[in-house]
Amino acid sequence: MKNDPAPPAMRLASTGTILYGVSVGEVLGVSTLAEARLIAGGGGLDRIVQRLNVMEVPDILAWVKPHELLLTTGYPLRNTPQSLDRLVTDLDERGLSALAIKLGRYLDELPGEMAEQADRLGFPLILLPNDVAFDDILNQVLTDILNRQAATLARTEEAHRALVQIVLAGGGMREVAAEVAGLLQVAVALIDASGRILVTAGEAEQVAMLREDLAALREGRASGGEHCTAVPVVAGGHHHGKIVAYAAAGPLSPSDIGILERAATVAALVITRQEAVTAVESKYRADFLRDVLTGRGGTRVAERARAFGWDLERRVSVVVAEIDPETDERPVQDRMLAAWQSAVRRHDPRAAVAGFSHEVVAIVGAAVDTTRLARDALAAVSDGTFSTGFSRVAEGHDAIPAAYGQALKAARVGRQLHGAGAVAHFDELGVYRLLSLVSDTGELHAFVRETLGSLAGDDDAENADLRRTLQMLLDTNLNVAETARRLHFHYNTLRYRIGKLERMLGNFTEDAHLRLNLTLALHVLRMRGI
């Protein structure tokens, strides 16, 4: 492996142009060039020749194309031999593969500088025998190129048919990866858009090297990128990941890359099929769970639940995760559902879970630590928040609708108390459950103003401090010494504050009904959104 990090070579979709050819070294092996001689540029024998051209006009540089083998008698250069000094450089800059020239008729020799440039650039200069016609060279080399192209396309099409047959036979990602590994004799991995490896195939040693390279890429360490080739898997306009091949011998050939591109197309087909099946299954699951939560599940709830892998015959708790109002629902909904599904599978594989328009509902075993479950799900969603509520334990599926109502209430009241991202249990709501039932929020505001008077507002900075003192007195059941200790006040200071509060609110130290009203008013102030 190299020490400098390099990502796997990324291939984009084919352009439809000729992608394959023969090397310059192979061109020199054809029968018509048996007497040809390489006079310079031996370092470029692996350059690929995809087409041929003949230079017999002065402005040929305007017409040449990359990957061409250029044939010439030197006729355009007979009167301007000085231009030969720049010819190799000009051809190399335009991406040509090699120059083949006949000497003796128009040019007797090539300048030494021309050969030096060819050696320096690795640009092959070929001396052609005078008795070989250009037509013979063109016919034989082009025939070899077309045969190579036909063989490559045939191999690619055969591989494509084999891959498609796997899908038609019901195979999935694992079977596609195994087929590619066998065809190319490489290790193959399919990774999702986050870089997580979904499946691998190939010899164990190569698979281990592939995993090491992929791990190095994720961690920013050095990677043997020359061994890896990656092709994006795109379906429905969405990037679903990559198919990555690891070849111990080095970079894949263009032919092998073509097969890898076909495999990426087939992988996209598999993903599209899986998404369609998952969407239908998710709808059936969600519809059935909605019926269970609303008490319309019928007489075969437990049996139908078992078909989904759910156990609703045991003691269960209902968990509701509701998207907070300030969150943009659509982008977050799918990720929230995926996070909850993943967390629920880890904590309770027999639990029921489904997503609805703005909430996710799970029915988990009573032994599950629901607080930890919610924390795991929340950690997986970074671009939005949801408030979570837990129900009491429900005995059997008949009690699930009531438990769902409890969990939903806990989520919404918890948000009112603690803000977005709240986590609350129904049993912890206490009097807030009753206050949340009051639909006329104007009445609640009026009650707070009538009970607390000027303390209901924050116009005076002292009001919040006095409310805190009042709350602590009520929490300690008017224990002056304990309240002073908790608030770090001197005893006499607190006695002074109590006197001030009674002048503002009434004799609450003697009136139990007034203390109840004050407690309720302070509770209402704590409920956000009212």
Side-chain angles (χ1 to χ4, degrees):
M1 287 189 178
K2 292 183 177 179
N3 292 325
D4 44 329
M10 177 61 69
R11 299 285 303 191
L12 301 179
S14 297
T15 60
T17 59
I18 296 177
L19 297 177
Y20 312 111
V22 296
S23 68
V24 174
E26 290 173 313
V27 169
L28 289 173
V30 302
S31 60
T32 55
L33 295 178
E35 302 298 324
R37 182 164 58 91
L38 179 71
I39 58 177
L45 290 179
D46 58 347
R47 292 190 180 212
I48 298 299
V49 177
Q50 293 179 346
R51 54 180 66 87
L52 284 81
N53 198 353
V54 177
M55 181 177 73
E56 300 295 14
V57 293
D59 61 344
I60 187 64
L61 289 177
W63 303 99
V64 295
K65 296 179 181 178
H67 304 297
E68 280 186 346
L69 169 60
L70 191 58
L71 309 175
T72 184
T73 61
Y75 177 78
L77 307 171
R78 66 192 188 284
N79 297 322
T80 56
Q82 67 276 10
S83 62
L84 290 172
D85 295 343
R86 278 284 308 171
L87 182 60
V88 169
T89 302
D90 290 338
L91 296 178
D92 181 68
E93 288 176 351
R94 286 162 174 79
L96 269 72
S97 301
L99 173 66
I101 189 167
K102 287 184 179 183
L103 294 178
R105 186 172 182 183
Y106 299 108
L107 287 175
D108 293 326
E109 61 181 5
L110 297 178
E113 184 179 345
M114 189 174 181
E116 292 175 3
Q117 289 177 345
D119 284 331
R120 186 178 69 254
L121 298 172
F123 184 86
L125 282 180
I126 302 169
L127 181 61
L128 296 175
N130 288 324
D131 58 347
V132 176
F134 283 172
D135 285 350
D136 294 335
I137 299 174
L138 291 169
N139 288 335
Q140 191 167 9
V141 175
L142 285 175
T143 297
D144 286 352
I145 291 174
L146 292 174
N147 287 341
R148 179 73 57 85
Q149 177 77 357
T152 298
L153 291 175
R155 179 172 179 253
T156 303
E157 288 301 320
E158 182 180 352
H160 183 73
R161 283 195 297 270
L163 292 168
V164 170
Q165 188 59 41
I166 288 174
V167 178
L168 294 177
M173 293 293 196
R174 192 172 302 279
E175 290 77 15
V176 169
E179 182 70 16
V180 176
L183 287 170
L184 305 183
Q185 295 298 299
V186 297
V188 173
L190 282 160
I191 60 179
D192 64 15
S194 66
R196 181 171 60 95
I197 297 176
L198 302 177
V199 298
T200 59
E203 295 183 0
E205 184 177 349
Q206 288 200 69
V207 169
M209 296 299 293
L210 173 56
R211 286 183 176 275
E212 182 179 335
D213 274 6
L214 293 176
L217 284 170
R218 288 194 299 270
E219 298 167 9
R221 296 185 285 108
S223 169
E226 72 276 8
H227 295 287
C228 286
T229 302
V231 177
V233 177
V234 180
H238 298 287
H239 188 285
H240 293 277
K242 302 172 188 173
I243 180 169
V244 185
Y246 177 93
L252 294 182
S253 68
S255 172
D256 289 345
I257 291 174
I259 292 177
L260 198 64
E261 289 177 340
R262 296 298 182 94
T265 302
V266 173
L269 179 63
V270 173
I271 290 173
T272 303
R273 183 190 65 185
Q274 290 176 342
E275 287 182 340
V277 172
T278 300
V280 173
E281 289 181 348
S282 296
K283 183 179 186 307
Y284 278 122
R285 288 171 181 263
D287 289 346
F288 173 60
L289 187 57
R290 174 64 77 186
D291 289 341
V292 172
L293 296 174
T294 55
R296 300 194 303 267
T299 58
R300 301 171 56 198
V301 170
E303 180 181 345
R304 293 178 62 190
R306 281 196 298 273
F308 290 121
W310 302 343
D311 184 0
L312 302 185
E313 296 179 282
R314 53 182 174 160
R315 299 173 74 243
V316 297
S317 295
V318 177
V319 182
V320 171
E322 189 176 52
I323 295 178
D324 291 320
E326 60 270 25
T327 299
D328 188 4
E329 289 190 13
R330 288 316 328 156
V332 175
Q333 176 69 19
D334 292 341
R335 287 188 289 278
M336 188 176 92
L337 175 57
W340 272 96
Q341 287 174 330
S342 177
V344 168
R345 278 195 299 269
R346 291 195 301 272
H347 288 263
D348 184 2
R350 296 183 298 161
V353 59
F356 304 111
S357 60
H358 60 282
E359 68 184 16
V360 173
V361 180
I363 304 176
V364 300
V368 173
D369 184 344
T370 50
T371 301
R372 184 178 175 186
L373 168 65
R375 186 168 58 247
D376 288 353
L378 182 62
V381 182
S382 59
D383 55 348
T385 61
F386 49 84
S387 295
T388 309
F390 311 128
S391 75
R392 292 171 174 166
V393 173
E395 303 284 350
H397 60 78
D398 290 336
I400 288 177
Y404 169 62
Q406 294 169 4
L408 191 59
K409 176 69 70 176
R412 293 177 178 177
V413 175
R415 183 189 297 118
Q416 288 179 322
L417 290 174
H418 308 297
V423 177
H425 194 287
F426 183 73
D427 284 338
E428 299 171 350
L429 300 182
V431 71
Y432 295 108
R433 286 164 46 199
L434 300 178
L435 293 174
S436 68
L437 295 176
V438 180
S439 58
D440 188 352
T441 58
E443 189 65 31
L444 287 176
H445 285 298
F447 172 74
V448 170
R449 290 193 300 271
E450 292 168 4
T451 305
L452 295 178
S454 60
L455 286 185
D458 290 322
D459 298 336
D460 189 336
E462 187 182 12
N463 288 342
D465 193 33
L466 286 173
R467 283 200 306 270
R468 182 165 174 263
T469 301
L470 176 62
Q471 183 69 66
M472 191 62 67
L473 282 167
L474 295 172
D475 289 345
T476 60
N477 198 25
L478 299 183
N479 187 322
V480 178
E482 178 63 16
T483 300
R485 185 187 67 80
R486 293 187 184 183
L487 295 176
H488 306 290
F489 287 162
H490 189 276
Y491 184 86
N492 290 335
T493 301
L494 184 58
R495 296 300 308 178
Y496 169 77
R497 286 194 168 214
I498 292 174
K500 185 173 183 177
L501 285 168
E502 289 199 314
R503 288 192 295 274
M504 298 174 67
L505 305 172
N507 190 16
F508 63 87
T509 57
E510 303 291 338
D511 189 339
H513 292 293
L514 178 56
R515 288 199 297 274
L516 175 60
N517 288 343
L518 291 171
T519 300
L520 290 174
L522 291 173
H523 282 336
V524 172
L525 280 181
R526 287 189 60 194
M527 295 181 70
R528 309 181 186 193
I530 290 183

PDB file of all heavy atoms in Angstrom, residues 61 96 126 148 155 167 178 227 244 282 290 306 329 360 434 462 466 504 522 524:
ATOM      1  N   LEU A  61      -2.636  19.040 -37.192  1.00  0.00           N
ATOM      2  CA  LEU A  61      -2.793  19.162 -35.741  1.00  0.00           C
ATOM      3  C   LEU A  61      -4.197  19.621 -35.353  1.00  0.00           C
ATOM      4  O   LEU A  61      -4.665  19.355 -34.255  1.00  0.00           O
ATOM      5  CB  LEU A  61      -1.754  20.128 -35.169  1.00  0.00           C
ATOM      6  CG  LEU A  61      -0.306  19.619 -35.155  1.00  0.00           C
ATOM      7  CD1 LEU A  61       0.632  20.687 -34.632  1.00  0.00           C
ATOM      8  CD2 LEU A  61      -0.188  18.353 -34.322  1.00  0.00           C
ATOM      9  N   LEU A  96      -2.342  12.025 -28.343  1.00  0.00           N
ATOM     10  CA  LEU A  96      -2.145  10.954 -29.311  1.00  0.00           C
ATOM     11  C   LEU A  96      -1.352   9.807 -28.695  1.00  0.00           C
ATOM     12  O   LEU A  96      -0.597  10.000 -27.728  1.00  0.00           O
ATOM     13  CB  LEU A  96      -1.428  11.477 -30.558  1.00  0.00           C
ATOM     14  CG  LEU A  96      -2.400  11.981 -31.657  1.00  0.00           C
ATOM     15  CD1 LEU A  96      -3.047  13.289 -31.252  1.00  0.00           C
ATOM     16  CD2 LEU A  96      -1.677  12.111 -32.986  1.00  0.00           C
ATOM     17  N   ILE A 126       7.669   5.320 -34.287  1.00  0.00           N
ATOM     18  CA  ILE A 126       7.789   4.047 -34.991  1.00  0.00           C
ATOM     19  C   ILE A 126       8.259   4.312 -36.416  1.00  0.00           C
ATOM     20  O   ILE A 126       7.686   5.153 -37.137  1.00  0.00           O
ATOM     21  CB  ILE A 126       6.437   3.302 -35.002  1.00  0.00           C
ATOM     22  CG1 ILE A 126       5.947   3.070 -33.564  1.00  0.00           C
ATOM     23  CG2 ILE A 126       6.547   1.988 -35.761  1.00  0.00           C
ATOM     24  CD1 ILE A 126       4.512   2.595 -33.483  1.00  0.00           C
ATOM     25  N   ARG A 148     -11.543  -6.377 -30.589  1.00  0.00           N
ATOM     26  CA  ARG A 148     -11.388  -6.205 -29.136  1.00  0.00           C
ATOM     27  C   ARG A 148     -12.636  -5.557 -28.536  1.00  0.00           C
ATOM     28  O   ARG A 148     -13.122  -5.965 -27.490  1.00  0.00           O
ATOM     29  CB  ARG A 148     -10.153  -5.347 -28.854  1.00  0.00           C
ATOM     30  CG  ARG A 148      -9.885  -5.069 -27.377  1.00  0.00           C
ATOM     31  CD  ARG A 148      -9.373  -6.308 -26.664  1.00  0.00           C
ATOM     32  NE  ARG A 148      -8.159  -6.813 -27.294  1.00  0.00           N
ATOM     33  CZ  ARG A 148      -6.933  -6.358 -27.016  1.00  0.00           C
ATOM     34  NH1 ARG A 148      -6.773  -5.388 -26.132  1.00  0.00           N
ATOM     35  NH2 ARG A 148      -5.883  -6.878 -27.614  1.00  0.00           N
ATOM     36  N   ARG A 155     -18.612  -9.694 -23.603  1.00  0.00           N
ATOM     37  CA  ARG A 155     -18.374 -10.099 -22.199  1.00  0.00           C
ATOM     38  C   ARG A 155     -19.217  -9.277 -21.244  1.00  0.00           C
ATOM     39  O   ARG A 155     -19.807  -9.799 -20.297  1.00  0.00           O
ATOM     40  CB  ARG A 155     -16.886  -9.938 -21.883  1.00  0.00           C
ATOM     41  CG  ARG A 155     -16.511 -10.293 -20.449  1.00  0.00           C
ATOM     42  CD  ARG A 155     -14.999 -10.290 -20.293  1.00  0.00           C
ATOM     43  NE  ARG A 155     -14.600 -10.606 -18.933  1.00  0.00           N
ATOM     44  CZ  ARG A 155     -14.115  -9.733 -18.059  1.00  0.00           C
ATOM     45  NH1 ARG A 155     -13.945  -8.459 -18.440  1.00  0.00           N
ATOM     46  NH2 ARG A 155     -13.774 -10.091 -16.847  1.00  0.00           N
ATOM     47  N   VAL A 167     -31.555 -11.129 -10.431  1.00  0.00           N
ATOM     48  CA  VAL A 167     -32.650 -10.312  -9.897  1.00  0.00           C
ATOM     49  C   VAL A 167     -33.997 -10.920 -10.255  1.00  0.00           C
ATOM     50  O   VAL A 167     -34.912 -10.993  -9.419  1.00  0.00           O
ATOM     51  CB  VAL A 167     -32.544  -8.868 -10.430  1.00  0.00           C
ATOM     52  CG1 VAL A 167     -33.708  -8.029  -9.920  1.00  0.00           C
ATOM     53  CG2 VAL A 167     -31.222  -8.248 -10.013  1.00  0.00           C
ATOM     54  N   ALA A 178     -21.728 -11.535  -5.137  1.00  0.00           N
ATOM     55  CA  ALA A 178     -21.025 -12.801  -5.357  1.00  0.00           C
ATOM     56  C   ALA A 178     -20.773 -13.038  -6.847  1.00  0.00           C
ATOM     57  O   ALA A 178     -19.703 -13.525  -7.240  1.00  0.00           O
ATOM     58  CB  ALA A 178     -21.837 -13.950  -4.759  1.00  0.00           C
ATOM     59  N   HIS A 227      -5.845  -0.080  -5.742  1.00  0.00           N
ATOM     60  CA  HIS A 227      -6.454  -1.411  -5.819  1.00  0.00           C
ATOM     61  C   HIS A 227      -7.981  -1.354  -5.870  1.00  0.00           C
ATOM     62  O   HIS A 227      -8.617  -2.364  -6.164  1.00  0.00           O
ATOM     63  CB  HIS A 227      -6.026  -2.266  -4.626  1.00  0.00           C
ATOM     64  CG  HIS A 227      -4.553  -2.575  -4.604  1.00  0.00           C
ATOM     65  ND1 HIS A 227      -3.964  -3.466  -5.473  1.00  0.00           N
ATOM     66  CD2 HIS A 227      -3.553  -2.096  -3.827  1.00  0.00           C
ATOM     67  CE1 HIS A 227      -2.654  -3.529  -5.229  1.00  0.00           C
ATOM     68  NE2 HIS A 227      -2.392  -2.703  -4.234  1.00  0.00           N
ATOM     69  N   VAL A 244     -17.991  -1.388  -4.705  1.00  0.00           N
ATOM     70  CA  VAL A 244     -16.536  -1.218  -4.682  1.00  0.00           C
ATOM     71  C   VAL A 244     -15.876  -2.564  -4.957  1.00  0.00           C
ATOM     72  O   VAL A 244     -16.249  -3.575  -4.358  1.00  0.00           O
ATOM     73  CB  VAL A 244     -16.051  -0.670  -3.323  1.00  0.00           C
ATOM     74  CG1 VAL A 244     -14.554  -0.397  -3.367  1.00  0.00           C
ATOM     75  CG2 VAL A 244     -16.808   0.601  -2.961  1.00  0.00           C
ATOM     76  N   SER A 282     -44.566  -1.501   4.893  1.00  0.00           N
ATOM     77  CA  SER A 282     -44.680  -0.453   5.913  1.00  0.00           C
ATOM     78  C   SER A 282     -46.102   0.079   5.993  1.00  0.00           C
ATOM     79  O   SER A 282     -46.605   0.368   7.084  1.00  0.00           O
ATOM     80  CB  SER A 282     -43.707   0.691   5.611  1.00  0.00           C
ATOM     81  OG  SER A 282     -42.381   0.245   5.678  1.00  0.00           O
ATOM     82  N   ARG A 290     -52.327   1.154  13.465  1.00  0.00           N
ATOM     83  CA  ARG A 290     -53.307   2.216  13.711  1.00  0.00           C
ATOM     84  C   ARG A 290     -54.627   1.616  14.182  1.00  0.00           C
ATOM     85  O   ARG A 290     -55.257   2.143  15.109  1.00  0.00           O
ATOM     86  CB  ARG A 290     -53.506   3.034  12.444  1.00  0.00           C
ATOM     87  CG  ARG A 290     -54.606   4.081  12.521  1.00  0.00           C
ATOM     88  CD  ARG A 290     -54.290   5.141  13.551  1.00  0.00           C
ATOM     89  NE  ARG A 290     -53.321   6.085  13.080  1.00  0.00           N
ATOM     90  CZ  ARG A 290     -52.787   7.045  13.841  1.00  0.00           C
ATOM     91  NH1 ARG A 290     -53.128   7.139  15.111  1.00  0.00           N
ATOM     92  NH2 ARG A 290     -51.888   7.873  13.340  1.00  0.00           N
ATOM     93  N   ARG A 306     -48.448 -11.500  15.113  1.00  0.00           N
ATOM     94  CA  ARG A 306     -47.374 -12.490  14.984  1.00  0.00           C
ATOM     95  C   ARG A 306     -46.885 -12.578  13.546  1.00  0.00           C
ATOM     96  O   ARG A 306     -45.707 -12.852  13.289  1.00  0.00           O
ATOM     97  CB  ARG A 306     -47.853 -13.853  15.467  1.00  0.00           C
ATOM     98  CG  ARG A 306     -47.865 -14.008  16.979  1.00  0.00           C
ATOM     99  CD  ARG A 306     -47.979 -15.468  17.376  1.00  0.00           C
ATOM    100  NE  ARG A 306     -49.228 -16.059  16.908  1.00  0.00           N
ATOM    101  CZ  ARG A 306     -50.373 -16.034  17.573  1.00  0.00           C
ATOM    102  NH1 ARG A 306     -50.430 -15.441  18.763  1.00  0.00           N
ATOM    103  NH2 ARG A 306     -51.465 -16.595  17.085  1.00  0.00           N
ATOM    104  N   GLU A 329     -41.170  18.920   9.156  1.00  0.00           N
ATOM    105  CA  GLU A 329     -41.550  17.520   9.283  1.00  0.00           C
ATOM    106  C   GLU A 329     -41.011  16.633   8.184  1.00  0.00           C
ATOM    107  O   GLU A 329     -40.454  15.569   8.439  1.00  0.00           O
ATOM    108  CB  GLU A 329     -43.079  17.385   9.335  1.00  0.00           C
ATOM    109  CG  GLU A 329     -43.690  17.886  10.637  1.00  0.00           C
ATOM    110  CD  GLU A 329     -45.149  17.525  10.752  1.00  0.00           C
ATOM    111  OE1 GLU A 329     -45.605  16.692   9.959  1.00  0.00           O
ATOM    112  OE2 GLU A 329     -45.832  18.063  11.626  1.00  0.00           O
ATOM    113  N   VAL A 360     -44.101   8.627  15.569  1.00  0.00           N
ATOM    114  CA  VAL A 360     -43.735   7.217  15.525  1.00  0.00           C
ATOM    115  C   VAL A 360     -44.257   6.582  16.804  1.00  0.00           C
ATOM    116  O   VAL A 360     -44.119   7.153  17.892  1.00  0.00           O
ATOM    117  CB  VAL A 360     -42.204   7.031  15.427  1.00  0.00           C
ATOM    118  CG1 VAL A 360     -41.829   5.556  15.555  1.00  0.00           C
ATOM    119  CG2 VAL A 360     -41.692   7.587  14.114  1.00  0.00           C
ATOM    120  N   LEU A 434     -54.492  17.059  34.371  1.00  0.00           N
ATOM    121  CA  LEU A 434     -55.788  17.720  34.490  1.00  0.00           C
ATOM    122  C   LEU A 434     -55.757  19.102  33.840  1.00  0.00           C
ATOM    123  O   LEU A 434     -56.695  19.499  33.139  1.00  0.00           O
ATOM    124  CB  LEU A 434     -56.176  17.841  35.963  1.00  0.00           C
ATOM    125  CG  LEU A 434     -56.315  16.514  36.734  1.00  0.00           C
ATOM    126  CD1 LEU A 434     -56.644  16.783  38.197  1.00  0.00           C
ATOM    127  CD2 LEU A 434     -57.384  15.646  36.097  1.00  0.00           C
ATOM    128  N   GLU A 462     -38.088  41.599  40.040  1.00  0.00           N
ATOM    129  CA  GLU A 462     -38.220  40.974  41.356  1.00  0.00           C
ATOM    130  C   GLU A 462     -39.306  39.902  41.367  1.00  0.00           C
ATOM    131  O   GLU A 462     -39.303  39.010  42.224  1.00  0.00           O
ATOM    132  CB  GLU A 462     -38.543  42.048  42.402  1.00  0.00           C
ATOM    133  CG  GLU A 462     -38.526  41.539  43.826  1.00  0.00           C
ATOM    134  CD  GLU A 462     -38.899  42.610  44.835  1.00  0.00           C
ATOM    135  OE1 GLU A 462     -39.386  43.676  44.406  1.00  0.00           O
ATOM    136  OE2 GLU A 462     -38.710  42.373  46.043  1.00  0.00           O
ATOM    137  N   LEU A 466     -39.499  36.428  43.554  1.00  0.00           N
ATOM    138  CA  LEU A 466     -40.539  36.195  44.566  1.00  0.00           C
ATOM    139  C   LEU A 466     -41.332  34.926  44.257  1.00  0.00           C
ATOM    140  O   LEU A 466     -41.719  34.185  45.168  1.00  0.00           O
ATOM    141  CB  LEU A 466     -41.471  37.405  44.636  1.00  0.00           C
ATOM    142  CG  LEU A 466     -40.898  38.664  45.316  1.00  0.00           C
ATOM    143  CD1 LEU A 466     -41.854  39.843  45.160  1.00  0.00           C
ATOM    144  CD2 LEU A 466     -40.635  38.392  46.798  1.00  0.00           C
ATOM    145  N   MET A 504     -49.216  40.822  49.126  1.00  0.00           N
ATOM    146  CA  MET A 504     -49.555  40.811  47.697  1.00  0.00           C
ATOM    147  C   MET A 504     -50.623  39.765  47.354  1.00  0.00           C
ATOM    148  O   MET A 504     -51.487  39.997  46.509  1.00  0.00           O
ATOM    149  CB  MET A 504     -48.300  40.515  46.850  1.00  0.00           C
ATOM    150  CG  MET A 504     -47.199  41.555  46.982  1.00  0.00           C
ATOM    151  SD  MET A 504     -45.672  41.058  46.109  1.00  0.00           S
ATOM    152  CE  MET A 504     -46.237  41.120  44.424  1.00  0.00           C
ATOM    153  N   LEU A 522     -49.010  28.447  39.723  1.00  0.00           N
ATOM    154  CA  LEU A 522     -47.592  28.276  39.394  1.00  0.00           C
ATOM    155  C   LEU A 522     -47.378  27.118  38.420  1.00  0.00           C
ATOM    156  O   LEU A 522     -46.516  27.184  37.540  1.00  0.00           O
ATOM    157  CB  LEU A 522     -46.786  28.045  40.676  1.00  0.00           C
ATOM    158  CG  LEU A 522     -46.666  29.255  41.615  1.00  0.00           C
ATOM    159  CD1 LEU A 522     -46.005  28.860  42.925  1.00  0.00           C
ATOM    160  CD2 LEU A 522     -45.895  30.390  40.948  1.00  0.00           C
ATOM    161  N   VAL A 524     -49.539  26.202  36.115  1.00  0.00           N
ATOM    162  CA  VAL A 524     -49.971  26.684  34.799  1.00  0.00           C
ATOM    163  C   VAL A 524     -48.866  27.520  34.153  1.00  0.00           C
ATOM    164  O   VAL A 524     -48.605  27.412  32.946  1.00  0.00           O
ATOM    165  CB  VAL A 524     -51.271  27.498  34.918  1.00  0.00           C
ATOM    166  CG1 VAL A 524     -51.603  28.167  33.594  1.00  0.00           C
ATOM    167  CG2 VAL A 524     -52.422  26.608  35.368  1.00  0.00           C
TER     168      VAL A 524
END
